[in-house]
mmCIF file with all atom_site columns, all heavy atoms in Angstrom:
data_model
loop_
_atom_site.group_PDB
_atom_site.id
_atom_site.type_symbol
_atom_site.label_atom_id
_atom_site.label_alt_id
_atom_site.label_comp_id
_atom_site.label_asym_id
_atom_site.label_entity_id
_atom_site.label_seq_id
_atom_site.pdbx_PDB_ins_code
_atom_site.Cartn_x
_atom_site.Cartn_y
_atom_site.Cartn_z
_atom_site.occupancy
_atom_site.B_iso_or_equiv
_atom_site.pdbx_formal_charge
_atom_site.auth_seq_id
_atom_site.auth_comp_id
_atom_site.auth_asym_id
_atom_site.auth_atom_id
_atom_site.pdbx_PDB_model_num
ATOM 1   N N   . ALA A 1 35 ? 90.055  87.386 106.931 1.00 95.00 ? 35 ALA A N   1
ATOM 2   C CA  . ALA A 1 35 ? 91.405  87.912 106.548 1.00 95.00 ? 35 ALA A CA  1
ATOM 3   C C   . ALA A 1 35 ? 92.140  88.379 107.825 1.00 95.00 ? 35 ALA A C   1
ATOM 4   O O   . ALA A 1 35 ? 93.315  88.090 107.961 1.00 95.00 ? 35 ALA A O   1
ATOM 5   C CB  . ALA A 1 35 ? 91.272  89.033 105.553 1.00 95.00 ? 35 ALA A CB  1
ATOM 6   N N   . ALA A 1 36 ? 91.432  89.078 108.689 1.00 94.00 ? 36 ALA A N   1
ATOM 7   C CA  . ALA A 1 36 ? 92.071  89.555 109.915 1.00 94.00 ? 36 ALA A CA  1
ATOM 8   C C   . ALA A 1 36 ? 92.512  88.396 110.776 1.00 94.00 ? 36 ALA A C   1
ATOM 9   O O   . ALA A 1 36 ? 93.595  88.452 111.395 1.00 94.00 ? 36 ALA A O   1
ATOM 10  C CB  . ALA A 1 36 ? 91.064  90.446 110.719 1.00 94.00 ? 36 ALA A CB  1
ATOM 11  N N   . ARG A 1 37 ? 91.743  87.320 110.845 1.00 95.00 ? 37 ARG A N   1
ATOM 12  C CA  . ARG A 1 37 ? 92.086  86.162 111.630 1.00 95.00 ? 37 ARG A CA  1
ATOM 13  C C   . ARG A 1 37 ? 93.341  85.463 111.016 1.00 95.00 ? 37 ARG A C   1
ATOM 14  O O   . ARG A 1 37 ? 94.266  85.089 111.764 1.00 95.00 ? 37 ARG A O   1
ATOM 15  C CB  . ARG A 1 37 ? 90.953  85.139 111.711 1.00 95.00 ? 37 ARG A CB  1
ATOM 16  C CG  . ARG A 1 37 ? 91.272  83.888 112.557 1.00 95.00 ? 37 ARG A CG  1
ATOM 17  C CD  . ARG A 1 37 ? 90.142  82.889 112.522 1.00 95.00 ? 37 ARG A CD  1
ATOM 18  N NE  . ARG A 1 37 ? 89.680  82.503 111.219 1.00 95.00 ? 37 ARG A NE  1
ATOM 19  C CZ  . ARG A 1 37 ? 90.334  81.640 110.393 1.00 95.00 ? 37 ARG A CZ  1
ATOM 20  N NH1 . ARG A 1 37 ? 91.462  81.080 110.804 1.00 95.00 ? 37 ARG A NH1 1
ATOM 21  N NH2 . ARG A 1 37 ? 89.866  81.356 109.212 1.00 95.00 ? 37 ARG A NH2 1
ATOM 22  N N   . VAL A 1 38 ? 93.381  85.342 109.722 1.00 95.00 ? 38 VAL A N   1
ATOM 23  C CA  . VAL A 1 38 ? 94.528  84.719 109.059 1.00 95.00 ? 38 VAL A CA  1
ATOM 24  C C   . VAL A 1 38 ? 95.766  85.538 109.301 1.00 95.00 ? 38 VAL A C   1
ATOM 25  O O   . VAL A 1 38 ? 96.826  85.009 109.628 1.00 95.00 ? 38 VAL A O   1
ATOM 26  C CB  . VAL A 1 38 ? 94.259  84.515 107.534 1.00 95.00 ? 38 VAL A CB  1
ATOM 27  C CG1 . VAL A 1 38 ? 95.530  84.177 106.796 1.00 95.00 ? 38 VAL A CG1 1
ATOM 28  C CG2 . VAL A 1 38 ? 93.171  83.471 107.314 1.00 95.00 ? 38 VAL A CG2 1
ATOM 29  N N   . VAL A 1 39 ? 95.671  86.874 109.142 1.00 94.00 ? 39 VAL A N   1
ATOM 30  C CA  . VAL A 1 39 ? 96.851  87.721 109.399 1.00 94.00 ? 39 VAL A CA  1
ATOM 31  C C   . VAL A 1 39 ? 97.318  87.577 110.826 1.00 94.00 ? 39 VAL A C   1
ATOM 32  O O   . VAL A 1 39 ? 98.494  87.465 111.087 1.00 94.00 ? 39 VAL A O   1
ATOM 33  C CB  . VAL A 1 39 ? 96.486  89.175 109.024 1.00 94.00 ? 39 VAL A CB  1
ATOM 34  C CG1 . VAL A 1 39 ? 97.572  90.162 109.510 1.00 94.00 ? 39 VAL A CG1 1
ATOM 35  C CG2 . VAL A 1 39 ? 96.332  89.338 107.509 1.00 94.00 ? 39 VAL A CG2 1
ATOM 36  N N   . ALA A 1 40 ? 96.348  87.555 111.770 1.00 94.00 ? 40 ALA A N   1
ATOM 37  C CA  . ALA A 1 40 ? 96.750  87.417 113.211 1.00 94.00 ? 40 ALA A CA  1
ATOM 38  C C   . ALA A 1 40 ? 97.470  86.106 113.432 1.00 94.00 ? 40 ALA A C   1
ATOM 39  O O   . ALA A 1 40 ? 98.460  86.068 114.182 1.00 94.00 ? 40 ALA A O   1
ATOM 40  C CB  . ALA A 1 40 ? 95.515  87.533 114.082 1.00 94.00 ? 40 ALA A CB  1
ATOM 41  N N   . GLU A 1 41 ? 97.010  85.020 112.792 1.00 93.00 ? 41 GLU A N   1
ATOM 42  C CA  . GLU A 1 41 ? 97.628  83.741 112.989 1.00 93.00 ? 41 GLU A CA  1
ATOM 43  C C   . GLU A 1 41 ? 99.032  83.711 112.374 1.00 93.00 ? 41 GLU A C   1
ATOM 44  O O   . GLU A 1 41 ? 99.985  83.177 112.987 1.00 93.00 ? 41 GLU A O   1
ATOM 45  C CB  . GLU A 1 41 ? 96.763  82.596 112.395 1.00 93.00 ? 41 GLU A CB  1
ATOM 46  C CG  . GLU A 1 41 ? 95.515  82.346 113.227 1.00 93.00 ? 41 GLU A CG  1
ATOM 47  C CD  . GLU A 1 41 ? 94.641  81.219 112.622 1.00 93.00 ? 41 GLU A CD  1
ATOM 48  O OE1 . GLU A 1 41 ? 95.162  80.421 111.844 1.00 93.00 ? 41 GLU A OE1 1
ATOM 49  O OE2 . GLU A 1 41 ? 93.458  81.198 112.978 1.00 93.00 ? 41 GLU A OE2 1
ATOM 50  N N   . VAL A 1 42 ? 99.160  84.270 111.222 1.00 91.00 ? 42 VAL A N   1
ATOM 51  C CA  . VAL A 1 42 ? 100.502 84.328 110.580 1.00 91.00 ? 42 VAL A CA  1
ATOM 52  C C   . VAL A 1 42 ? 101.498 85.148 111.378 1.00 91.00 ? 42 VAL A C   1
ATOM 53  O O   . VAL A 1 42 ? 102.624 84.752 111.601 1.00 91.00 ? 42 VAL A O   1
ATOM 54  C CB  . VAL A 1 42 ? 100.383 84.821 109.092 1.00 91.00 ? 42 VAL A CB  1
ATOM 55  C CG1 . VAL A 1 42 ? 101.777 85.102 108.535 1.00 91.00 ? 42 VAL A CG1 1
ATOM 56  C CG2 . VAL A 1 42 ? 99.647  83.821 108.251 1.00 91.00 ? 42 VAL A CG2 1
ATOM 57  N N   . LEU A 1 43 ? 101.012 86.305 111.868 1.00 89.00 ? 43 LEU A N   1
ATOM 58  C CA  . LEU A 1 43 ? 101.849 87.150 112.705 1.00 89.00 ? 43 LEU A CA  1
ATOM 59  C C   . LEU A 1 43 ? 102.289 86.443 114.002 1.00 89.00 ? 43 LEU A C   1
ATOM 60  O O   . LEU A 1 43 ? 103.451 86.523 114.384 1.00 89.00 ? 43 LEU A O   1
ATOM 61  C CB  . LEU A 1 43 ? 101.198 88.480 112.964 1.00 89.00 ? 43 LEU A CB  1
ATOM 62  C CG  . LEU A 1 43 ? 101.026 89.409 111.801 1.00 89.00 ? 43 LEU A CG  1
ATOM 63  C CD1 . LEU A 1 43 ? 100.239 90.629 112.197 1.00 89.00 ? 43 LEU A CD1 1
ATOM 64  C CD2 . LEU A 1 43 ? 102.384 89.837 111.228 1.00 89.00 ? 43 LEU A CD2 1
ATOM 65  N N   . ALA A 1 44 ? 101.341 85.719 114.596 1.00 88.00 ? 44 ALA A N   1
ATOM 66  C CA  . ALA A 1 44 ? 101.695 84.974 115.802 1.00 88.00 ? 44 ALA A CA  1
ATOM 67  C C   . ALA A 1 44 ? 102.722 83.907 115.491 1.00 88.00 ? 44 ALA A C   1
ATOM 68  O O   . ALA A 1 44 ? 103.683 83.690 116.252 1.00 88.00 ? 44 ALA A O   1
ATOM 69  C CB  . ALA A 1 44 ? 100.395 84.386 116.432 1.00 88.00 ? 44 ALA A CB  1
ATOM 70  N N   . TYR A 1 45 ? 102.598 83.241 114.374 1.00 85.00 ? 45 TYR A N   1
ATOM 71  C CA  . TYR A 1 45 ? 103.503 82.161 113.970 1.00 85.00 ? 45 TYR A CA  1
ATOM 72  C C   . TYR A 1 45 ? 104.903 82.738 113.830 1.00 85.00 ? 45 TYR A C   1
ATOM 73  O O   . TYR A 1 45 ? 105.894 82.168 114.316 1.00 85.00 ? 45 TYR A O   1
ATOM 74  C CB  . TYR A 1 45 ? 103.022 81.548 112.672 1.00 85.00 ? 45 TYR A CB  1
ATOM 75  C CG  . TYR A 1 45 ? 103.931 80.450 112.156 1.00 85.00 ? 45 TYR A CG  1
ATOM 76  C CD1 . TYR A 1 45 ? 103.874 79.143 112.685 1.00 85.00 ? 45 TYR A CD1 1
ATOM 77  C CD2 . TYR A 1 45 ? 104.877 80.702 111.161 1.00 85.00 ? 45 TYR A CD2 1
ATOM 78  C CE1 . TYR A 1 45 ? 104.694 78.164 112.219 1.00 85.00 ? 45 TYR A CE1 1
ATOM 79  C CE2 . TYR A 1 45 ? 105.698 79.705 110.699 1.00 85.00 ? 45 TYR A CE2 1
ATOM 80  C CZ  . TYR A 1 45 ? 105.614 78.413 111.209 1.00 85.00 ? 45 TYR A CZ  1
ATOM 81  O OH  . TYR A 1 45 ? 106.426 77.471 110.724 1.00 85.00 ? 45 TYR A OH  1
ATOM 82  N N   . PHE A 1 46 ? 104.988 83.881 113.206 1.00 85.00 ? 46 PHE A N   1
ATOM 83  C CA  . PHE A 1 46 ? 106.298 84.489 112.948 1.00 85.00 ? 46 PHE A CA  1
ATOM 84  C C   . PHE A 1 46 ? 106.813 85.360 114.050 1.00 85.00 ? 46 PHE A C   1
ATOM 85  O O   . PHE A 1 46 ? 107.908 85.970 113.956 1.00 85.00 ? 46 PHE A O   1
ATOM 86  C CB  . PHE A 1 46 ? 106.342 85.277 111.611 1.00 85.00 ? 46 PHE A CB  1
ATOM 87  C CG  . PHE A 1 46 ? 106.351 84.387 110.418 1.00 85.00 ? 46 PHE A CG  1
ATOM 88  C CD1 . PHE A 1 46 ? 105.298 84.355 109.546 1.00 85.00 ? 46 PHE A CD1 1
ATOM 89  C CD2 . PHE A 1 46 ? 107.469 83.564 110.187 1.00 85.00 ? 46 PHE A CD2 1
ATOM 90  C CE1 . PHE A 1 46 ? 105.337 83.515 108.478 1.00 85.00 ? 46 PHE A CE1 1
ATOM 91  C CE2 . PHE A 1 46 ? 107.475 82.678 109.091 1.00 85.00 ? 46 PHE A CE2 1
ATOM 92  C CZ  . PHE A 1 46 ? 106.389 82.700 108.223 1.00 85.00 ? 46 PHE A CZ  1
ATOM 93  N N   . SER A 1 47 ? 106.084 85.483 115.148 1.00 86.00 ? 47 SER A N   1
ATOM 94  C CA  . SER A 1 47 ? 106.526 86.297 116.299 1.00 86.00 ? 47 SER A CA  1
ATOM 95  C C   . SER A 1 47 ? 107.340 85.484 117.299 1.00 86.00 ? 47 SER A C   1
ATOM 96  O O   . SER A 1 47 ? 107.851 86.023 118.218 1.00 86.00 ? 47 SER A O   1
ATOM 97  C CB  . SER A 1 47 ? 105.363 86.931 116.978 1.00 86.00 ? 47 SER A CB  1
ATOM 98  O OG  . SER A 1 47 ? 104.596 85.922 117.693 1.00 86.00 ? 47 SER A OG  1
ATOM 99  N N   . GLU A 1 48 ? 107.507 84.204 117.025 1.00 85.00 ? 48 GLU A N   1
ATOM 100 C CA  . GLU A 1 48 ? 108.314 83.339 117.903 1.00 85.00 ? 48 GLU A CA  1
ATOM 101 C C   . GLU A 1 48 ? 109.801 83.818 117.867 1.00 85.00 ? 48 GLU A C   1
ATOM 102 O O   . GLU A 1 48 ? 110.324 84.130 116.771 1.00 85.00 ? 48 GLU A O   1
ATOM 103 C CB  . GLU A 1 48 ? 108.342 81.899 117.440 1.00 85.00 ? 48 GLU A CB  1
ATOM 104 C CG  . GLU A 1 48 ? 107.071 81.156 117.728 1.00 85.00 ? 48 GLU A CG  1
ATOM 105 C CD  . GLU A 1 48 ? 107.177 79.689 117.269 1.00 85.00 ? 48 GLU A CD  1
ATOM 106 O OE1 . GLU A 1 48 ? 107.567 79.457 116.106 1.00 85.00 ? 48 GLU A OE1 1
ATOM 107 O OE2 . GLU A 1 48 ? 106.874 78.809 118.042 1.00 85.00 ? 48 GLU A OE2 1
ATOM 108 N N   . THR A 1 49 ? 110.402 83.787 119.028 1.00 84.00 ? 49 THR A N   1
ATOM 109 C CA  . THR A 1 49 ? 111.858 84.052 119.033 1.00 84.00 ? 49 THR A CA  1
ATOM 110 C C   . THR A 1 49 ? 112.533 82.778 118.540 1.00 84.00 ? 49 THR A C   1
ATOM 111 O O   . THR A 1 49 ? 111.926 81.708 118.362 1.00 84.00 ? 49 THR A O   1
ATOM 112 C CB  . THR A 1 49 ? 112.338 84.325 120.476 1.00 84.00 ? 49 THR A CB  1
ATOM 113 O OG1 . THR A 1 49 ? 112.098 83.131 121.260 1.00 84.00 ? 49 THR A OG1 1
ATOM 114 C CG2 . THR A 1 49 ? 111.604 85.497 121.120 1.00 84.00 ? 49 THR A CG2 1
ATOM 115 N N   . THR A 1 50 ? 113.830 82.910 118.290 1.00 85.00 ? 50 THR A N   1
ATOM 116 C CA  . THR A 1 50 ? 114.619 81.731 117.817 1.00 85.00 ? 50 THR A CA  1
ATOM 117 C C   . THR A 1 50 ? 114.488 80.625 118.859 1.00 85.00 ? 50 THR A C   1
ATOM 118 O O   . THR A 1 50 ? 114.277 79.442 118.514 1.00 85.00 ? 50 THR A O   1
ATOM 119 C CB  . THR A 1 50 ? 116.072 82.130 117.581 1.00 85.00 ? 50 THR A CB  1
ATOM 120 O OG1 . THR A 1 50 ? 116.109 83.118 116.560 1.00 85.00 ? 50 THR A OG1 1
ATOM 121 C CG2 . THR A 1 50 ? 116.898 80.923 117.176 1.00 85.00 ? 50 THR A CG2 1
ATOM 122 N N   . GLU A 1 51 ? 114.647 80.984 120.142 1.00 87.00 ? 51 GLU A N   1
ATOM 123 C CA  . GLU A 1 51 ? 114.598 79.962 121.214 1.00 87.00 ? 51 GLU A CA  1
ATOM 124 C C   . GLU A 1 51 ? 113.240 79.312 121.225 1.00 87.00 ? 51 GLU A C   1
ATOM 125 O O   . GLU A 1 51 ? 113.158 78.048 121.408 1.00 87.00 ? 51 GLU A O   1
ATOM 126 C CB  . GLU A 1 51 ? 114.932 80.640 122.537 1.00 87.00 ? 51 GLU A CB  1
ATOM 127 C CG  . GLU A 1 51 ? 116.348 81.093 122.664 1.00 87.00 ? 51 GLU A CG  1
ATOM 128 C CD  . GLU A 1 51 ? 116.630 82.442 121.986 1.00 87.00 ? 51 GLU A CD  1
ATOM 129 O OE1 . GLU A 1 51 ? 115.677 83.149 121.556 1.00 87.00 ? 51 GLU A OE1 1
ATOM 130 O OE2 . GLU A 1 51 ? 117.809 82.811 121.896 1.00 87.00 ? 51 GLU A OE2 1
ATOM 131 N N   . GLU A 1 52 ? 112.153 80.042 121.125 1.00 87.00 ? 52 GLU A N   1
ATOM 132 C CA  . GLU A 1 52 ? 110.816 79.469 121.173 1.00 87.00 ? 52 GLU A CA  1
ATOM 133 C C   . GLU A 1 52 ? 110.602 78.501 119.960 1.00 87.00 ? 52 GLU A C   1
ATOM 134 O O   . GLU A 1 52 ? 110.051 77.442 120.097 1.00 87.00 ? 52 GLU A O   1
ATOM 135 C CB  . GLU A 1 52 ? 109.771 80.566 121.126 1.00 87.00 ? 52 GLU A CB  1
ATOM 136 C CG  . GLU A 1 52 ? 109.666 81.383 122.386 1.00 87.00 ? 52 GLU A CG  1
ATOM 137 C CD  . GLU A 1 52 ? 108.835 82.651 122.260 1.00 87.00 ? 52 GLU A CD  1
ATOM 138 O OE1 . GLU A 1 52 ? 108.657 83.143 121.129 1.00 87.00 ? 52 GLU A OE1 1
ATOM 139 O OE2 . GLU A 1 52 ? 108.365 83.115 123.310 1.00 87.00 ? 52 GLU A OE2 1
ATOM 140 N N   . TYR A 1 53 ? 111.083 78.966 118.774 1.00 88.00 ? 53 TYR A N   1
ATOM 141 C CA  . TYR A 1 53 ? 110.958 78.121 117.589 1.00 88.00 ? 53 TYR A CA  1
ATOM 142 C C   . TYR A 1 53 ? 111.715 76.818 117.767 1.00 88.00 ? 53 TYR A C   1
ATOM 143 O O   . TYR A 1 53 ? 111.175 75.744 117.465 1.00 88.00 ? 53 TYR A O   1
ATOM 144 C CB  . TYR A 1 53 ? 111.488 78.931 116.367 1.00 88.00 ? 53 TYR A CB  1
ATOM 145 C CG  . TYR A 1 53 ? 111.477 78.072 115.122 1.00 88.00 ? 53 TYR A CG  1
ATOM 146 C CD1 . TYR A 1 53 ? 110.299 77.835 114.446 1.00 88.00 ? 53 TYR A CD1 1
ATOM 147 C CD2 . TYR A 1 53 ? 112.653 77.518 114.596 1.00 88.00 ? 53 TYR A CD2 1
ATOM 148 C CE1 . TYR A 1 53 ? 110.292 77.068 113.278 1.00 88.00 ? 53 TYR A CE1 1
ATOM 149 C CE2 . TYR A 1 53 ? 112.665 76.778 113.455 1.00 88.00 ? 53 TYR A CE2 1
ATOM 150 C CZ  . TYR A 1 53 ? 111.491 76.518 112.811 1.00 88.00 ? 53 TYR A CZ  1
ATOM 151 O OH  . TYR A 1 53 ? 111.447 75.765 111.665 1.00 88.00 ? 53 TYR A OH  1
ATOM 152 N N   . VAL A 1 54 ? 112.975 76.894 118.218 1.00 91.00 ? 54 VAL A N   1
ATOM 153 C CA  . VAL A 1 54 ? 113.806 75.695 118.385 1.00 91.00 ? 54 VAL A CA  1
ATOM 154 C C   . VAL A 1 54 ? 113.120 74.725 119.360 1.00 91.00 ? 54 VAL A C   1
ATOM 155 O O   . VAL A 1 54 ? 113.023 73.537 119.073 1.00 91.00 ? 54 VAL A O   1
ATOM 156 C CB  . VAL A 1 54 ? 115.221 76.052 118.837 1.00 91.00 ? 54 VAL A CB  1
ATOM 157 C CG1 . VAL A 1 54 ? 115.991 74.819 119.271 1.00 91.00 ? 54 VAL A CG1 1
ATOM 158 C CG2 . VAL A 1 54 ? 115.968 76.767 117.704 1.00 91.00 ? 54 VAL A CG2 1
#
Side-chain angles (χ1 to χ4, degrees):
R37 182 184 52 79
V38 168
V39 168
E41 289 181 20
V42 170
L43 290 174
Y45 179 82
F46 285 115
S47 70
E48 285 182 310
T49 64
T50 299
E51 292 80 9
E52 291 168 336
Y53 176 76
V54 167

